[in-house]
Amino acid sequence: TLHQRGAFIMTEKAKKIHIELKSGESGITSFAGLWPAVELFRKSGLPEVIDSAVGARSSRGYRDSEHILSLILLHLSGGSAADHLSFLKEKLSFEKLGISVPSPSALRTWLNEFHNGEEDGKRGMGKAFIPEENGHLRGLGTVLSGLFAFAAAHSPREHITLDQDATFIETEERGANWNYKGQKSYQALNTYCPEYDLVAGSRYGDGNVPPGWKQQEELERILESLPEEVKGVSVRSDSAGYQTDLLTWCTEGKHGRFGYIPVGISCPVGEEFKKAVRAVPEEDWKPLDRKERDGKQEGNGTVLEWAEIVYVPAGLGRKKHGRDYRFLAVRERWDGRLPSEKERQEDRTTEPEAEAVSSPGDQLYFTEAIRLLEEEVPGVKRLHLLELGGRIYKTFGIVTNIEDGADGGIFGYGKGAPMDGEKIIRWQRKRSGKAEEIHHILKDELGGGHVPSKRFGANAAWWTIAVLALNLHNLLKHILLPEDYGKSRPKSLRFLLYTMVGKIVTHGRRIVLKIWTGDRGGSLFASVMERLELLQSMPD
């Protein structure tokens, strides 16, 4: 046939490829683009901080800083298990450059040093408990703080935002407990700072521990670790942070260093909250332009509305002195669509506006219809459906201690811009999408989703080093790469930079890493190295 003849002609014209196998080593590394991460690791002062703070190494063998750098490079290169270290060592070929990569068995032995066996028996189902960290695991927290301090010294900010969100790390490992979703898992409570694009701290726990358990205690720990350049903080959280103690502590300024802490926290939508929402006159609902939510175009016209409601829950009564708590309600017209599995996990909905599924009618009809839907259809109850003005709306709530007229400069609105309810809602809702992105990157693009051991402390150390790898990656892209790369995730830079080819050669006593600027990523690598030369190292 004509098709067969064409294939024959193409085969005749194709050049024969000769494969030549040579003995010895080429000196070629397929991860030369990771070298800027190594240099940034050193310039940030992390080796010194690690070796003085962690103390998990044995009397002989690899230093703590060598273990941690190897794991950071493993995460950035796409490895996700201890066994992958052997492949990393071969493909990295950095031994001649002074980078020692331990064996998988040596790494496992080292990770076990982070486990506090005396606390292990206190874990279990039916109780909320997180084992006390031993000195080695506390040292890893100091390392995270050290890198944060380096970023703050490089770009000082007087006021930062702290977003607290928890995520489950699913596993079949026998040491894990069951979470409320019926999955065996561990759990991490991350405190993320959007201004620096860094995780300021992460608490590792069992899956059966409530996400907001001792959240104030974790916030206090993070605040104590912040560098002196930071003079003020704001806090955002999902409804796990809706706790009387946390809200009172922040609002009454009980922290000695930071005093009053502005908060924006999602609140549960219970019957009393719904009653307060129903009491809002239709004319008092104000438009919330969805196309400005999270800085993205998300629909045509106004699909969200908000109102401040009169709501005084038990335990959060109005005070005679100081700031009061304010409750803001957001309503979104429901189009009858149920949340997808992904949206249920993210606990948020972002569909464009659609016409209501029913025409206005008797309120009893709507109330009964909503009740039946909530009983019979999974996923409906969490939408908090309400009939308002003859339409059905999804309902959300926010509690805040930020007053109208407050300076919006510390909330990203420009110095002197007065705050109001709409700005508070926009500011608070920015945390949701970014938190889910951070969780995804840590678990799916880095190795944080892997659980390497049955020992709790070893898994906590593995997770914390994944967080450190993410922070080093984010710091690298913000201070060493052109602005166009500011949103690049690890998988993107793995393609664009980290996996470029280099050759390690020896000239006399000199060891040289050769990079060809004409290769993919070569010019980008050259510009990164130029910026590294100008970057000041962390002072001792």
Side-chain angles (χ1 to χ4, degrees):
T1 65
L2 184 62
H3 174 74
Q4 290 173 327
R5 289 176 60 193
F8 176 76
I9 294 172
M10 290 181 64
T11 304
E12 285 288 297
K13 290 183 178 180
K15 292 183 179 179
K16 184 176 181 180
I17 304 299
H18 298 274
I19 306 298
E20 184 177 332
L21 300 177
K22 306 194 72 172
S23 60
E25 297 180 358
S26 67
I28 293 176
T29 169
S30 55
F31 285 111
L34 284 173
W35 190 253
V38 174
E39 291 291 348
L40 182 59
F41 178 85
R42 291 171 172 172
K43 283 219 169 189
S44 67
L46 283 183
E48 294 77 14
V49 173
I50 291 169
D51 290 333
S52 64
V54 176
R57 66 167 292 185
S58 59
S59 57
R60 297 193 310 185
Y62 296 94
R63 297 191 302 273
D64 293 322
S65 57
E66 291 174 324
H67 278 289
I68 290 177
L69 176 58
S70 296
L71 274 183
I72 288 174
L73 297 178
L74 181 73
H75 287 300
L76 294 181
S77 63
S80 59
D83 286 339
H84 295 167
L85 276 175
S86 299
F87 298 95
L88 177 71
K89 187 171 185 176
E90 293 176 6
K91 297 174 75 66
L92 199 63
S93 302
F94 278 1
E95 291 278 356
K96 292 180 180 179
L97 302 179
I99 306 301
S100 299
V101 179
S103 66
S105 61
L107 176 74
R108 291 191 182 95
T109 300
W110 180 77
L111 285 173
N112 287 340
E113 293 296 319
F114 294 88
H115 181 62
N116 188 349
E118 296 178 359
E119 293 278 289
D120 210 44
K122 302 176 185 178
R123 298 167 55 222
M125 294 301 297
K127 56 184 176 181
F129 176 77
I130 295 180
E132 183 180 348
E133 297 177 339
N134 64 15
H136 309 317
L137 200 52
R138 283 195 299 273
L140 283 183
T142 302
V143 176
L144 281 178
S145 300
L147 190 59
F148 197 97
F150 177 73
H154 179 266
S155 179
R157 290 178 177 270
E158 289 196 353
H159 194 101
I160 62 173
T161 309
L162 297 177
D163 292 336
Q164 293 194 295
D165 284 276
T167 185
F168 290 123
I169 303 153
E170 298 176 27
T171 179
E172 292 300 319
E173 177 56 55
R174 63 181 182 178
N177 289 325
W178 301 89
N179 63 28
Y180 69 86
K181 296 182 178 181
Q183 304 160 333
K184 289 186 70 175
S185 70
Y186 291 99
Q187 180 183 183
L189 175 61
N190 294 327
T191 302
Y192 168 75
C193 174
E195 287 84 4
Y196 286 114
D197 198 13
L198 299 176
V199 178
S202 187
R203 185 188 72 188
Y204 198 81
D206 281 308
N208 64 304
V209 176
W213 189 70
K214 294 190 176 182
Q215 191 164 331
Q216 178 190 326
E217 183 179 293
E218 175 64 5
L219 177 60
E220 290 186 62
R221 186 182 71 82
I222 297 297
L223 294 179
E224 293 304 317
S225 72
L226 294 178
E228 60 182 12
E229 288 89 348
V230 179
K231 309 299 182 185
V233 298
S234 302
V235 172
R236 300 185 294 203
S237 174
D238 59 11
S239 58
Y242 183 75
Q243 302 172 32
T244 300
D245 292 346
L246 175 61
L247 287 164
T248 301
W249 186 79
C250 291
T251 302
E252 295 184 357
K254 293 185 176 182
H255 189 272
R257 174 180 167 189
F258 294 106
Y260 158 68
I261 297 175
V263 300
I265 296 176
S266 300
C267 66
V269 180
E271 288 306 315
E272 289 300 315
F273 188 94
K274 291 179 180 179
K275 182 179 179 181
V277 172
R278 291 191 185 100
V280 177
E282 274 297 307
E283 61 270 19
D284 286 355
W285 287 98
K286 304 176 184 67
L288 187 67
D289 193 349
R290 189 168 198 167
K291 62 186 177 183
E292 292 190 35
R293 179 183 171 190
D294 298 339
K296 297 179 182 179
Q297 181 79 26
E298 290 192 15
N300 297 320
T302 300
V303 297
L304 297 174
E305 295 172 300
W306 72 276
E308 185 162 356
I309 64 174
V310 180
Y311 176 56
V312 186
L316 283 180
R318 296 188 177 275
K319 304 185 296 297
K320 293 181 180 179
H321 306 287
R323 296 173 176 83
D324 273 325
Y325 304 104
R326 304 171 60 194
F327 287 85
L328 308 173
V330 178
R331 70 180 191 180
E332 179 180 359
R333 193 188 305 172
W334 188 47
D335 60 1
R337 189 189 66 87
L338 297 179
S340 66
E341 182 61 30
K342 180 180 178 182
E343 288 171 322
R344 292 177 199 172
Q345 293 173 0
E346 295 178 353
D347 197 29
R348 59 193 177 99
T349 52
T350 56
E351 284 295 307
E353 181 183 27
E355 290 301 316
V357 295
S358 303
S359 59
D362 183 82
Q363 182 175 338
L364 291 176
Y365 167 79
F366 281 113
T367 302
E368 180 64 12
I370 291 170
R371 185 187 68 79
L372 290 173
L373 277 171
E374 290 178 343
E375 289 180 356
E376 298 177 6
V377 185
V380 168
K381 194 167 186 177
R382 59 172 293 277
L383 300 180
H384 309 299
L385 298 181
L386 281 179
E387 183 278 332
L388 301 169
R391 295 186 181 275
I392 299 179
Y393 291 90
K394 294 180 285 186
T395 315
F396 312 93
I398 294 171
V399 61
T400 184
N401 57 11
I402 303 170
E403 299 173 339
D404 281 348
D407 189 345
I410 62 175
F411 305 104
Y413 288 106
K415 190 172 182 180
M419 293 295 284
D420 57 21
E422 181 179 355
K423 287 180 178 153
I424 293 169
I425 293 169
R426 289 181 183 173
W427 169 75
Q428 195 271 344
R429 289 166 73 92
K430 285 180 180 179
R431 50 152 287 280
S432 178
K434 191 63 181 180
E436 293 304 324
E437 179 184 318
I438 293 295
H439 297 162
H440 170 77
I441 292 172
L442 283 168
K443 293 190 290 187
D444 297 332
E445 296 188 22
L446 301 173
H450 176 65
V451 176
S453 173
K454 64 181 181 181
R455 293 180 172 85
F456 178 91
N459 297 331
W462 177 276
W463 171 264
T464 306
I465 295 170
V467 172
L468 187 61
L470 173 63
N471 282 354
L472 193 72
H473 163 86
N474 286 350
L475 192 60
L476 184 150
K477 71 183 182 183
H478 288 304
I479 67 177
L480 298 180
L481 292 177
E483 189 175 347
D484 292 347
Y485 295 86
K487 294 184 179 179
S488 297
R489 285 153 60 152
K491 68 176 183 180
S492 298
L493 283 192
R494 199 171 293 146
F495 177 75
L496 297 170
L497 178 64
Y498 295 154
T499 54
M500 69 170 300
V501 173
K503 185 171 184 178
I504 301 170
V505 296
T506 303
H507 291 300
R509 296 183 179 180
R510 295 177 63 233
I511 300 173
V512 179
L513 175 60
K514 282 191 173 184
I515 304 293
W516 287 266
T517 56
D519 284 357
R520 175 184 63 81
S523 59
L524 182 61
F525 185 98
S527 68
V528 168
M529 295 307 295
E530 287 178 6
R531 296 191 185 198
L532 265 171
E533 289 293 324
L534 300 174
L535 184 66
Q536 292 187 344
S537 300
M538 191 70 173
D540 296 332

